[in-house]
Amino acid sequence: MAASKGTLPAVSLQVGERSIELATIRASQGNHGIVVAPLMKETGLVALDTGYLNTAPCTSEITFIDGDAGILRYRGYPIEQLAEKSTFLEVAMLLIKGELPSAHDLEAFETRIDKHMYLSDDFRQIFSVMPRRAHPMATLGAAINMMAGFYPESLDPLDPSAVSLATVLLLAKMPTIISYIYRRAQGNALLYPKHGQSYIENFARMTFQLPGERFEAPEAFYRALDTLLILHADHEQNCSTSSVRMIGSAQANLYMSVSGGVSALSGPLHGGANESVLNMLQYIRDTDIEPKKFMEKVKDRSSNIRLMGFGHRVYKSYDPRAAIVKEQADAVLAALGVKDELLDIAHEVEQVALSDDYFIERRLYPNVDFYTGIIYRAMGFPASMFTPLFALGRLPGWIAQWREMIRDPAAKIGRPRQIYVGHPEREYVPLDQRP
Ligand code: ACO
């Protein structure tokens, strides 16, 4: 059903002899909805929707995606305009508060964030107990959980001032945490944030500054990093955001909920894809396999190989974020004076895929992760840090969605049903009588 104007058509469901009327709900844009919650009470049937292909667990005012037209908007603003004109913290305010901030409010917010980037020495100890080889996402999830222990005054999910504090603390401390994870892996001493440096400058310096040296990067470096964070800032009900909402629906605090989002994001089918893309491109380079031959492997179902960075649950045309990143990749590499043959391989792989019937028929296009890794690599980040960078970008979205859920009077604890297909009741068999 896709009525755009007027009243929505009535929806009825025929169950045997009975006809059940289902209420509908109008979207301001995109797909309207059918309310299926009373279905079980009315009919004894539950809706099966593995992978939530057609289930909206909430209404939301935050992000709009039209996957067929390749449109992404935060609070109504096109991603292309935000990527070009805004900063990451400005976009964070837009997502979390609902409106673009005034210059005064933005400055006050930046000052508040700046004040809280510091991590106490007790907190810094946790990085030394994690093994250097630990995957950064494991440490990141643990560190965010630890925040619940360090800042007890910001835990109450129903107290707006506690939520406001948790919001600021998460946004402020996450860059410091991520830079420490990197420095720990490198065996370098942890640095302190500096007041007066911008959010992105502080993050880059704390990450890359070598002992006894100054860290300097061209403006293009900071701008590209800021833009990549903006592009990742929200993506409506994706796997990690749904996890954050689900955990928060039990009124778990914001830190515990966001840490669940980090766990979901670590998966190679979600945030881990940017790391996998780079590994894939390196494999193609190191084995000297022709992109066309590699594509034959991808299409061979028995190989279980996917073209990483391609395909999306929602976008069935070019991911608008991928278009921005692709455009930036050449420019950023040139500004940084980096020549990377992986970028040439990526262009070639994309060309082969976009003209191959397998990808055309399934409407598989590059997603945001296809080119991001190449930019991060040019900046000096190892592949294992790509997903933490994604998490930093996605943080405002997780927070905004969690806050929307907590305030929603219709929200309930997330508790899906199932269709049980296991054994009916059977007698217990003692251990010595089992085959
Ligand atoms: N390479 C090869 N085939 C693919 C790919 C791919 N990357 N993606 C989907 N397909 C095929 C599937 O095999 C399936 O084929 P079939 O109809 O013959 O069985 C068809 O396209 C549909 O695929 P699904 O897995 O059903 O699509 P779904 O919407 O569930 O998955 C997903 C989306 C997980 C992103 C998938 O496209 C994928 O695995 N891509 C690679 C991983 C990736 O890049 N993830 C990042 C996602 S974006 C993000 O998190 C920011």
Side-chain angles (χ1 to χ4, degrees), residues 269-270 273 301 306-307 309-313 358 362 364 367:
L269 295 189
H270 190 13
R301 303 298 291 265
R306 286 203 161 192
L307 183 56
F310 258 69
H312 198 277
R313 171 62 60 79
Y358 175 96
R362 289 168 180 77
L364 300 170
N367 59 50

Side-chain angles (χ1 to χ4, degrees), residues 157-400:
L158 304 179
D159 172 358
S161 66
V163 170
S164 164
L165 180 59
T167 298
V168 168
L169 295 184
L170 271 165
L171 284 167
K173 295 184 193 300
M174 184 99 137
T176 314
I177 290 172
I178 294 176
S179 73
Y180 286 0
I181 292 171
Y182 175 71
R183 293 191 81 81
R184 163 82 182 143
Q186 300 293 307
N188 285 330
L190 311 185
L191 301 180
Y192 289 104
K194 258 191 202 160
H195 293 306
Q197 275 204 317
S198 78
Y199 190 75
I200 296 292
E201 284 168 352
N202 246 323
F203 173 52
R205 183 189 49 78
M206 284 192 290
T207 305
F208 291 121
Q209 188 177 337
L210 293 173
E213 289 184 20
R214 276 168 67 85
F215 173 76
E216 278 170 5
E219 185 49 34
F221 175 104
Y222 298 114
R223 186 61 206 147
L225 190 50
D226 204 56
T227 306
L228 289 176
L229 297 182
I230 292 172
L231 295 181
H232 286 91
D234 194 45
H235 215 237
E236 49 117 311
Q237 309 312 315
N238 56 83
C239 178
S240 56
T241 303
S242 303
S243 308
V244 170
R245 275 185 177 259
M246 173 68 103
I247 296 167
S249 76
Q251 295 186 356
N253 64 60
L254 187 54
Y255 306 108
M256 298 291 195
S257 305
V258 165
S259 155
V262 169
S263 303
L265 195 71
S266 71
L269 295 189
H270 190 13
N274 51 18
E275 189 177 341
S276 311
V277 171
L278 207 79
N279 294 337
M280 177 186 80
L281 295 174
Q282 275 164 342
Y283 169 84
I284 294 175
R285 180 195 61 193
D286 296 345
T287 56
D288 230 356
I289 184 171
E290 286 285 314
K292 272 200 170 143
K293 279 252 161 60
F294 180 74
M295 223 56 88
E296 292 309 317
K297 284 185 175 219
V298 169
K299 291 190 289 182
D300 173 6
R301 303 298 291 265
S302 65
S303 76
N304 264 336
I305 298 177
R306 286 203 161 192
L307 183 56
M308 300 312 285
F310 258 69
H312 198 277
R313 171 62 60 79
V314 182
Y315 294 119
K316 299 302 169 199
S317 67
Y318 216 99
D319 179 338
R321 303 166 300 172
I324 298 170
V325 180
K326 182 182 175 185
E327 228 177 76
Q328 283 212 342
D330 288 305
V332 174
L333 265 60
L336 297 178
V338 173
K339 170 92 188 87
D340 191 345
E341 57 186 320
L342 295 188
L343 181 59
D344 302 330
I345 296 175
H347 283 315
E348 209 180 323
V349 167
E350 182 188 348
Q351 281 317 314
V352 173
L354 292 181
S355 53
D356 189 304
D357 283 346
Y358 175 96
F359 293 89
I360 296 169
E361 279 160 19
R362 289 168 180 77
R363 303 178 70 191
L364 300 170
Y365 293 86
N367 59 50
V368 66
D369 284 329
F370 194 64
Y371 285 103
T372 46
I374 290 169
I375 301 184
Y376 287 144
R377 183 171 129 101
M379 290 172 165
F381 290 103
S384 61
M385 292 302 291
F386 296 173
T387 318
L389 288 164
F390 188 159
L392 178 60
R394 184 54 52 87
L395 182 61
W398 288 334
I399 294 172

Side-chain angles (χ1 to χ4, degrees), residues 29 61-66 69-80 82 94-95 234-236 315 320:
Q29 282 195 293
E61 297 178 355
I62 301 172
T63 289
F64 173 71
I65 302 174
D66 181 334
I71 289 172
L72 169 62
R73 297 186 199 122
Y74 299 160
R75 302 279 189 186
Y77 295 103
I79 189 66
E80 293 80 4
L82 293 169
L94 170 69
L95 287 166
D234 194 45
H235 215 237
E236 49 117 311
Y315 294 119

